[in-house]
Amino acid sequence: MTTTLASTRTKVLQRQGAAVALVVMVAVAWLVFPRFGSLDNVRDLALQGSFLAVIAIGMTFVIITGGIDLSVGSLYALGGVLAAYGSQWGFFTALLLPLAVCGLIGVINGLLIARTSMAPFIVTLASLLFARGLLLVITDEGATTYQIAPDSAFVELGRGTVLGFGYPVFIALVLALLGGLLLNRTNFGQNVFATGGAEQSAVLMGVPVARTKVLVYAMSGTLSGLAGALTAAYLQSGVTVIGVGTELDAISVVVIGGTLLTGGAGTVLGTMIGVGLRTVIQNIINQIGTLDSNFQSVVSGVFLLIVVVLQRILRR
């Protein structure tokens, strides 16, 4: 009986640990900070988390295959600048230009990793530098900031609301739903798990490992570009300084959400919970007021370390 209870407790911690932590943190913040539960604050929290969520969904697929994508932060910034630059030719150019360019860089990442067996860390680090360099070339080393006309239809994509919640929130939720279905209800999702679980065995079983890797990196690049476009629409400009360190934020929320860095296991729902946890931590620190904003990184780092250690212990 005792063994059964211990086993059940371990499974709950493995699968729902981040969700339990999120519920506890929200409950404490709700009681301690009167403004935390206000509708305006909830809307702000949802909007703040939506941009990171879009990037993290793509990162979830990459990490489940056993890879890593360090280029997402630079692609996020590049996507925003390209969207602002393309907005002068209309809504569809503003939206499709960042998706096409960032998606192409993702495809190149995937091809290099899958066809040459180069380490994802090296390939995507090179893409990080390439995308950041391309961003500086387009903006004349940051001296030029492309603005989006206030009457542009593209602005509505970032600032439009339904029931007070911004469009980016609903876009992130729809992408999470589609990502979850893709991961758990399709052959492609099975191939993603098989590639990350045991790559050599997957090859022997006829799983298209190379094609799967190319697709997940293409997805990661495209979603990073989309997040950049949404941010540009919200800010009404292509900001060059965003995205620094975003790749680490994305990796941390994916791991906090239960996806194994070694690959082969993970969920999109867990990633969304990880995004929620990080956003709540940031909001609590902001509401305390006396703490430096950099303390958020300290808390997130400690939390990530605890999660990784727990994952290792629970797998024994």
Side-chain angles (χ1 to χ4, degrees), residues 42-61:
V42 172
R43 287 167 175 162
D44 289 343
L45 282 173
L47 183 63
Q48 291 169 19
S50 61
F51 305 114
L52 178 59
V54 172
I55 299 172
I57 290 168
M59 184 68 82
T60 304
F61 281 78

Side-chain angles (χ1 to χ4, degrees), residues 10 49 142 163 172 266 273 309 314:
T10 299
L163 300 175
I273 292 172
V309 171
L314 293 172

Side-chain angles (χ1 to χ4, degrees), residues 25-301:
M25 196 160 291
V26 168
V28 172
W30 202 298
L31 293 173
V32 175
F33 304 104
R35 187 179 174 276
F36 183 84
S38 68
L39 186 56
D40 285 343
N41 193 53
V42 172
R43 287 167 175 162
D44 289 343
L45 282 173
L47 183 63
Q48 291 169 19
S50 61
F51 305 114
L52 178 59
V54 172
I55 299 172
I57 290 168
M59 184 68 82
T60 304
F61 281 78
V62 170
I63 292 181
I64 292 177
T65 63
I68 202 81
D69 189 350
L70 299 180
S71 66
V72 295
S74 293
L75 293 180
Y76 172 49
L78 178 62
V81 170
L82 290 173
Y85 175 72
S87 66
Q88 59 188 307
W89 292 290
F91 179 90
F92 289 106
T93 304
L95 180 61
L96 296 180
L97 182 60
L99 299 188
V101 173
C102 296
L104 177 61
I105 294 175
V107 169
I108 294 171
N109 282 341
L111 286 172
L112 288 172
I113 292 167
R115 300 299 182 189
T116 68
S117 298
M118 293 174 65
F121 176 85
I122 299 299
V123 173
T124 57
L125 179 61
S127 295
L128 178 157
L129 298 174
F130 172 81
R132 187 63 66 176
L134 181 60
L135 168 69
L136 294 175
V137 169
I138 294 173
T139 61
D140 192 19
E141 296 190 0
T144 302
T145 301
Y146 295 102
Q147 303 288 337
I148 302 175
D151 59 347
S152 170
F154 186 66
V155 172
E156 186 68 13
L157 187 65
R159 291 188 169 268
T161 61
V162 176
L163 300 175
F165 290 89
Y167 287 172
V169 177
F170 296 99
I171 292 172
L173 291 175
V174 169
L175 288 173
L177 177 62
L178 294 176
L181 292 174
L182 187 63
L183 191 59
N184 298 300
R185 294 287 187 271
T186 67
N187 290 332
F188 172 70
Q190 294 178 2
N191 294 340
V192 170
F193 282 116
T195 300
E199 184 171 332
Q200 293 304 318
S201 299
V203 171
L204 294 174
M205 292 169 60
V207 173
V209 170
R211 186 173 67 192
T212 301
K213 287 185 176 181
V214 173
L215 288 174
V216 297
Y217 282 96
M219 182 187 304
S220 180
T222 304
L223 289 178
S224 299
L226 175 60
L230 292 174
T231 301
Y234 179 72
L235 298 176
Q236 293 184 238
S237 66
V239 181
T240 58
V241 295
I242 66 170
V244 177
T246 300
E247 59 277 357
L248 301 181
D249 292 337
I251 293 169
S252 67
V253 298
V254 170
V255 175
I256 288 172
T259 297
L260 296 180
L261 270 175
T262 50
T267 65
V268 174
L269 176 60
T271 294
M272 297 299 283
I273 292 172
V275 172
L277 203 49
R278 180 177 174 77
T279 307
V280 168
I281 290 172
Q282 181 180 15
N283 191 260
I284 289 174
I285 291 173
N286 290 339
Q287 298 215 26
I288 291 175
T290 56
L291 291 176
D292 190 282
S293 59
N294 291 327
F295 197 74
Q296 174 198 340
S297 299
V298 175
V299 175
S300 298

